[in-house]
Amino acid sequence: MPPPVFRFAPSPNGYLHLGHAYSALLNFDLARERGGRFLLRIEDIDATRCRPEFEAAIYEDLAWLGISWETPVRRQSEHFARYHEAVEKLAGLGLIYPSFESRAEIARLVAQREASAPWPRDPDGAPLYPGVAKSLPPDRRHELIAQGVPYALRLDMQQALARRKDLAWQEHGAGPGGETGVVAARPEAWGDVILARKETPTSYHLSVVIDDALQGVTDVVRGRDLFWSTSVHLVLQQLLGIPQPVYRHHRLVEDASGHKLSKSTQATALRELRGQGASPAGIRSLVGLPDDSCRTTAGC
């Protein structure tokens, strides 16, 4: 049997914090314990938020924690052509359509619908797509694209599920509600998810399943905030004919108020903690992982 392959895949849109440290260290530890490989992937598809200095800081912070990784590091921005091929394959199956509403227009449509009844939301709390782009005639779609109107390419989830039903995965960790073991996927809860945009030929959902397959990732160990995203990933894996890895969703590192640490809320960065005198062993203790030296020392 080939060795298992684990990965840590941050986005360089801010500095790493304790939540990132926990996930990276957990993946690195599991790879070593099981005689496996550990990969680092840079998920930098968002050109407006990802910056070189944040990417450089990722390498610096991980090395300081004692984490090593295989090279070269895969950077998603260097593989847009590969993601475009996948979109074209799905389009060839009649499973992709363009939508042309702006975010403001979508918010207005949702508000109109909620005036009479609650509008459904996905597991992250975002409203499902409320537009009618799926019913636009092909000629009208081509006309809008030719005019340069911005668009998003969406997966026709109803048609996708007509091809792939009874999806499930074996969860080796636990979801937000304690879900574990065999978990029934709920891709319909996400509606017609965006897989690409006019200016960015991929999305998180699409690129992550392609990258994991191309890199031979066997074990996806990530935060339980991504637990229900697995439903979408299973659909894409089956449609694209790529293997399904083992999934293990781990607990989240939270702040004093019980909220997940986040770059958007300015969670204290690892580099700041390091500047305050924290050590790699101290970081392990803060996130609830054993001291690295305890792996070979009896009684730790």
Side-chain angles (χ1 to χ4, degrees):
M1 291 288 292
V5 181
F6 296 79
R7 52 78 165 171
F8 176 60
S11 295
N13 54 13
Y15 294 116
L16 300 186
H17 51 61
L18 286 174
H20 298 113
Y22 176 68
S23 193
L25 287 166
L26 183 59
N27 274 277
F28 183 63
D29 289 352
L30 288 169
R32 287 194 299 174
E33 290 169 4
R34 294 178 52 188
R37 298 165 54 203
F38 175 79
L39 309 179
L40 173 63
R41 183 166 74 227
I42 300 298
E43 299 194 340
D44 59 344
I45 60 175
D46 187 348
T48 62
R49 298 175 60 206
C50 296
R51 288 159 38 185
E53 59 265 36
F54 292 144
E55 182 175 341
I58 288 171
Y59 303 136
E60 180 182 337
D61 288 342
L62 295 181
W64 174 71
L65 287 172
I67 293 174
S68 57
W69 55 90
E70 295 183 11
T71 56
V73 171
R74 182 178 178 89
R75 302 175 72 248
Q76 288 183 334
S77 61
E78 297 171 352
H79 299 278
F80 283 158
R82 180 63 186 84
Y83 309 135
H84 180 70
E85 290 175 9
V87 170
E88 289 295 298
K89 180 176 180 177
L90 295 172
L93 296 173
L95 300 176
I96 297 285
Y97 68 89
S99 64
F100 301 92
E101 298 92 345
S102 67
R103 289 181 174 86
E105 289 170 330
I106 287 177
R108 179 178 56 79
L109 289 172
V110 170
Q112 289 176 352
R113 284 153 176 74
E114 289 195 320
S116 56
W119 186 253
R121 280 168 160 69
D122 67 25
D124 285 343
L128 300 193
Y129 173 63
V132 295
K134 190 160 37 177
S135 63
L136 284 178
D139 289 349
R140 179 56 177 161
R141 292 176 180 176
H142 296 322
E143 180 183 350
L144 291 170
I145 291 174
Q147 292 173 359
V149 176
Y151 59 86
L153 294 176
R154 296 180 179 272
L155 177 68
D156 187 331
M157 189 62 77
Q158 182 178 7
Q159 291 299 317
L161 293 182
R163 293 170 174 265
R164 295 289 182 265
K165 296 181 179 180
D166 301 323
L167 295 168
W169 78 92
Q170 183 73 33
E171 175 60 42
H172 293 263
E179 302 89 347
T180 191
V182 178
V183 178
R186 293 166 32 199
E188 68 281 355
W190 293 91
D192 293 352
V193 294
I194 293 175
L195 296 186
R197 296 183 182 275
K198 175 186 176 182
E199 67 280 7
T200 306
T202 190
S203 66
Y204 164 73
H205 291 307
L206 182 66
S207 54
V208 72
V209 297
I210 291 174
D211 288 347
D212 284 343
L214 290 177
Q215 293 189 286
V217 173
T218 61
D219 292 69
V220 172
V221 181
R222 61 190 181 189
R224 62 182 52 152
D225 54 328
L226 293 170
F227 182 81
W228 288 115
S229 295
T230 309
S231 297
V232 177
H233 300 168
L234 264 61
V235 172
L236 294 174
Q237 287 158 359
Q238 292 205 14
L239 291 172
L240 295 170
I242 56 182
Q244 180 187 130
V246 171
Y247 286 100
R248 173 176 171 176
H249 292 87
H250 60 68
R251 62 178 173 83
L252 302 176
V253 178
E254 300 176 336
D255 60 22
S257 61
H259 295 100
K260 181 190 80 166
L261 296 182
S262 171
K263 296 172 184 173
S264 61
T265 57
Q266 282 73 55
T268 305
L270 290 178
R271 61 195 301 106
E272 185 176 344
L273 293 171
R274 183 164 70 247
Q276 294 171 359
S279 66
I283 297 298
R284 280 184 164 273
S285 177
L286 282 173
V287 299
L289 288 173
D291 191 319
D292 198 45
S293 63
C294 291
R295 299 179 178 281
T296 57
T297 303
C300 285

